[in-house]
Amino acid sequence: MSVVLNEPGFLVDPEPVRSRGGFVWQTIRRRPSATIGIVLLSLVIVGALLAPWVAPYGLHTRVGPVFGHPSWSHPLGLDDGGIDMLTLLMWGARISLVVGFAATLVSMLIGGTIGVLAGYFGGKTDVVLMRITDYFLVIPDVPLMIVVAAIWGPSLFHIVIVIGILLWTSTARVIRAQVKSVRERVYVKRARSLGAGHTRIVLRHVLPQVAPLLIANTVLTIAVAIFDETALSFLGLGDPSRISLGKVIENAFQRAAISSGAWWAIVPPGALVAVIILSCSLVGGALEDALNPRLRVAHLSARTFRLRPLVGRGAESL
Amino acid sequence: MRGADYVIKRTAFAVITVFVAVTINFALFRLAPGSAISNLSRVPHATQELREALKREFGLDKSKGAQYAIYLKQLAHGNLGVSFENQQPVSHNLWEALKNTLPMVLLGTVFAIVFGTLTGVIAAWRRGTALEGATVTTALGFYSMPTHWLGLMLVILFTGVLPTGGMANDFLINPSFWTHLKDVLSHMVLPSLTLGLVLYGEYTLIVRSAMLETLGEDYILTARAKGLKPWAIVRKHALRNAMLPIATLVALSLGYIVAGAILIETVFSWPGIGRAVYDAVLQRDYPMLQGAFLLLTISVVFFNLVADLLYFKLDPRITT
């Protein structure tokens, strides 16, 4: 791949880039890490979706002794109630993902709306909304979640709302910055002078430009939401009637899986959460990097110590 | 003096944030379904008179506004209420817990800052090599693990080698100072290591991306054109400028560390502030929970202020 250098610090890709979305897609495809992330995430999602049909045993059926060892019929062993761990993991991932996606949706709606409003209208609206965001940004979310969850009482719905209303701050800021720059572009001004209303400009011209960033942010927020759900469950604030991955870890911890030597009851659920968070970070990080052109230039790199293009090569090995 | 304005502005913001947090704190617990006396589970046949007396005692017969005024006044005097659980003042309980948390958290943080900066710089410098790949993968791995799960993994790995719970061995009777110190330190290793590893992942990633941004600047190209040694460029030109976001992020994360300690202290039964929050949740000890939340918020706001002022001090370009 040839790269034309026309001025220091600028890399010009000879392939014509048609749209921003296409460009993002290309970058993702070139990055092995993003592909790994997408594959892992899809595997987990498919496994969780198919749980009712492919899970080997019932979610509430006792199939063997307490903390039964892994065997051919139970590859991941049994938990403190003699329930198959593999089954638990599939159903647990289902709940964890639902919480992650739902909470992220709530936070995207709040953060996206505030970001677009503040960025688009500017002026007083901007100042007021951003001041509110600043306060929310500073107040530590995990303790506040704990307090709210403890007061409201444990339920899946409460968990989703609590996580959702505390995660939107970074989204709002990122989106606002992007909207601010889009608003000043010529085609938006042109549309305005042609008499387009605010709603039309926002929906037709601003949102499509902000969308990739919003998606990158969404993927990263899902990871945080799932982490928070796991943490809340571990502290006994999860929904007792729904088994999420966090709940599986909590159960194993509370019923002394470690002192019983039943590592299989505690290692896989946490590892699965780590895999979900890792793959979300990989995908989200790749998207964000693709949208931040500053990271693709390096004047100083290892070994060869020569100005070299990193677009097609090393830069992708995140 | 440059930017006395800025300092005042940021400090005012911090004070207002604390005030907002105090208000949220008040409102949250008042909006909770039922009041402190509507659920007298310990007195099954409470009479109407008893309820009224209790209401008066707790000041619940006054209007919400008056209650808020009383709350603010007591808070200004440092009165955080009395713990339901052990009938001690909440401020006393929190102070005792904080004394246990700080050394553990500091040890982990120092570990993370030292190693995170080191590997982050190396990863950025050796960009595109297998070394960078390995470093970033490890960092992302630690960053992705649920904190409490990582702690549990360390417990499984180190059972029998290091103590995995509590802060000191209760069976040592009147230990000498050194024995006691050694004992506490050995108990501190695993919780600190858990915190250190999680933060290590985060810091490595932050330092790496800050360094990568700096390495893309034109003055690095200039430095190279002048024929400076690569290490000199990394140290004097890149790292100095990358320190700006790094210092801020470290200061920011310091505030959250105290909050993050909740999970770690629960796993290792470390009698600190996080464990106090966990116990307060289990016992529904609302005054404790309220006090702990306030303390955690103030610590975050404080370190935020430190980060802002640090940024201002480090970056002469900031004027407002």
Side-chain angles (χ1 to χ4, degrees):
Chain A
M1 186 183 123
S2 67
V3 168
V4 185
L5 261 181
N6 54 357
E7 77 179 90
F10 274 86
L11 293 172
V12 177
D13 209 313
E15 300 167 36
V17 177
R18 266 179 309 180
S19 71
R20 197 159 193 187
F23 167 66
V24 169
W25 182 239
Q26 270 182 12
T27 319
I28 288 179
R29 268 203 325 207
R30 282 208 220 101
R31 271 171 184 262
S33 62
T35 321
I36 294 173
I38 290 177
V39 169
L40 284 177
L41 200 58
S42 326
L43 277 179
V44 175
I45 292 178
V46 167
L49 278 181
L50 295 180
W53 296 281
V54 297
Y57 300 92
L59 184 58
H60 304 288
T61 351
R62 190 179 171 142
V63 289
V66 169
F67 290 134
H69 283 261
S71 62
W72 280 114
S73 48
H74 307 287
L76 291 178
L78 304 175
D79 82 336
D80 56 277
I83 294 166
D84 183 57
M85 277 302 295
L86 187 61
T87 312
L88 270 177
L89 286 191
M90 295 180 89
W91 282 95
R94 215 173 144 90
I95 300 290
S96 288
L97 286 173
V98 165
V99 171
F101 279 97
T104 305
L105 187 70
V106 173
S107 102
M108 282 300 126
L109 284 178
I110 304 176
T113 312
I114 290 190
V116 168
L117 288 181
Y120 183 77
F121 288 109
K124 275 218 175 82
T125 327
D126 187 23
V127 171
V128 171
L129 287 178
M130 279 303 113
R131 204 32 73 77
I132 295 175
T133 312
D134 281 350
Y135 291 128
F136 266 92
L137 198 65
V138 169
I139 291 171
D141 44 0
V142 171
L144 187 55
M145 275 177 206
I146 290 173
V147 168
V148 175
I151 293 176
W152 279 4
S155 103
L156 211 57
F157 179 70
H158 289 165
I159 298 259
V160 166
I161 297 292
V162 165
I163 298 177
I165 55 176
L166 291 174
L167 282 187
W168 56 268
T169 45
S170 68
T171 315
R173 292 184 78 104
V174 169
I175 296 302
R176 166 182 170 267
Q178 182 74 6
V179 170
K180 258 189 134 80
S181 88
V182 169
R183 190 183 60 157
E184 297 307 322
R185 290 193 191 154
V186 180
Y187 61 87
V188 175
K189 290 189 168 161
R190 203 175 288 157
R192 194 174 300 142
S193 60
L194 282 173
H198 291 313
T199 325
R200 187 183 164 82
I201 293 178
V202 167
L203 289 183
R204 292 292 300 269
H205 300 288
V206 175
L207 268 189
Q209 290 298 312
V210 183
L213 207 61
L214 194 61
I215 293 171
N217 207 281
T218 310
V219 181
L220 291 174
T221 310
I222 291 174
V224 182
I226 289 181
F227 177 91
D228 286 343
E229 190 277 332
T230 314
L232 285 179
S233 288
F234 183 71
L235 296 174
L237 294 166
D239 189 334
S241 63
R242 308 280 185 147
I243 294 164
S244 68
L245 290 176
K247 194 86 195 143
V248 177
I249 302 178
E250 193 226 345
N251 277 342
F253 175 66
Q254 296 293 350
R255 313 279 163 75
I258 290 182
S259 47
S260 323
W263 55 267
W264 54 87
I266 213 155
V267 177
L272 191 54
V273 174
V275 165
I276 298 177
I277 294 178
L278 180 67
S279 41
C280 285
S281 312
L282 287 177
V283 177
L287 278 169
E288 273 198 338
D289 282 4
L291 296 166
N292 182 359
R294 289 185 73 191
L295 290 180
R296 275 176 290 122
V297 188
H299 291 313
L300 179 68
S301 42
R303 292 196 303 206
T304 55
F305 198 61
R306 199 186 305 135
L307 188 66
R308 66 173 188 186
L310 284 157
V311 172
R313 300 169 58 206
E316 282 76 46
S317 60
L318 179 85
Chain B
M1 197 191 104
R2 180 177 79 100
D5 234 29
Y6 179 81
V7 175
I8 293 170
K9 230 183 194 169
R10 297 318 301 174
T11 315
F13 174 75
V15 171
I16 296 175
T17 314
V18 169
F19 184 73
V20 171
V22 165
T23 311
I24 291 180
N25 210 355
F26 174 82
L28 268 179
F29 285 86
R30 294 306 180 286
L31 290 177
S35 71
I37 57 138
S38 66
N39 182 17
L40 285 170
S41 55
R42 285 172 197 172
V43 190
H45 301 295
T47 58
Q48 198 55 40
E49 289 80 54
L50 179 62
R51 282 172 192 279
E52 291 304 320
L54 279 171
K55 247 190 181 172
R56 232 171 300 120
E57 192 184 332
F58 288 123
L60 291 170
D61 51 345
K62 297 193 175 68
S63 72
K64 288 273 192 275
Q67 286 183 36
Y68 183 53
I70 295 172
Y71 175 70
L72 284 185
K73 197 175 155 201
Q74 291 300 322
L75 208 58
H77 289 103
N79 181 1
L80 291 169
V82 173
S83 162
F84 287 164
E85 203 44 36
N86 63 0
Q87 318 300 332
Q88 293 284 323
V90 168
S91 46
H92 172 259
N93 282 351
L94 286 177
W95 176 238
E96 291 297 314
L98 195 62
K99 275 196 292 193
N100 293 336
T101 296
L102 283 180
M104 188 269 282
V105 161
L106 275 180
L107 190 65
T109 313
V110 169
F111 170 91
I113 291 179
V114 170
F115 287 94
T117 314
L118 203 67
T119 50
V121 168
I122 291 174
W125 187 24
R126 300 267 148 189
R127 180 175 203 192
T129 63
L131 185 64
E132 192 215 5
T135 314
V136 174
T137 312
T138 321
L140 260 178
F142 282 123
Y143 177 70
S144 304
M145 290 176 194
T147 316
H148 49 286
W149 183 75
L150 180 60
L152 292 172
M153 291 303 103
L154 291 180
V155 170
I156 293 179
L157 284 177
F158 289 100
T159 312
V161 184
L162 284 165
T164 55
M167 190 172 153
N169 189 345
D170 295 331
F171 296 104
L172 289 175
I173 298 157
N174 290 330
S176 70
F177 176 73
W178 288 113
T179 330
H180 181 66
L181 188 70
K182 236 174 76 185
D183 185 39
V184 172
L185 278 180
S186 71
H187 280 81
M188 206 186 282
V189 172
L190 286 185
S192 291
L193 189 63
T194 312
L195 184 72
L197 286 177
V198 171
L199 286 178
Y200 161 80
E202 199 177 337
Y203 287 179
T204 303
L205 297 175
I206 290 171
V207 170
R208 172 180 165 273
S209 62
M211 279 293 284
L212 281 184
E213 290 231 2
T214 329
L215 288 178
E217 298 284 357
D218 286 343
Y219 53 77
I220 301 291
L221 192 67
T222 312
R224 267 203 54 222
K226 287 196 297 187
L228 294 182
K229 292 227 159 47
W231 180 239
I233 299 180
V234 167
R235 208 163 44 89
K236 290 196 183 144
H237 296 248
L239 187 57
R240 282 232 178 137
N241 285 294
M243 278 323 279
L244 208 62
I246 295 170
T248 331
L249 284 163
V250 166
L252 278 183
S253 72
L254 279 180
Y256 290 95
I257 288 167
V258 184
I262 296 172
L263 293 167
I264 292 171
E265 289 180 359
T266 306
V267 170
F268 292 100
S269 319
W270 189 264
I273 198 95
R275 177 84 196 171
V277 170
Y278 177 66
D279 287 338
V281 167
L282 282 189
Q283 313 290 346
R284 295 293 185 265
D285 188 348
Y286 287 155
M288 252 326 257
L289 203 53
Q290 223 175 350
F293 173 66
L294 200 63
L295 181 69
L296 295 179
T297 311
I298 289 176
S299 77
V300 172
V301 173
F302 173 74
F303 282 111
N304 244 292
L305 183 64
V306 170
D308 276 341
L309 298 182
L310 205 61
Y311 207 101
F312 182 68
K313 183 104 178 74
L314 292 177
D315 191 347
R317 287 169 300 184
I318 292 179
T319 49
T320 45

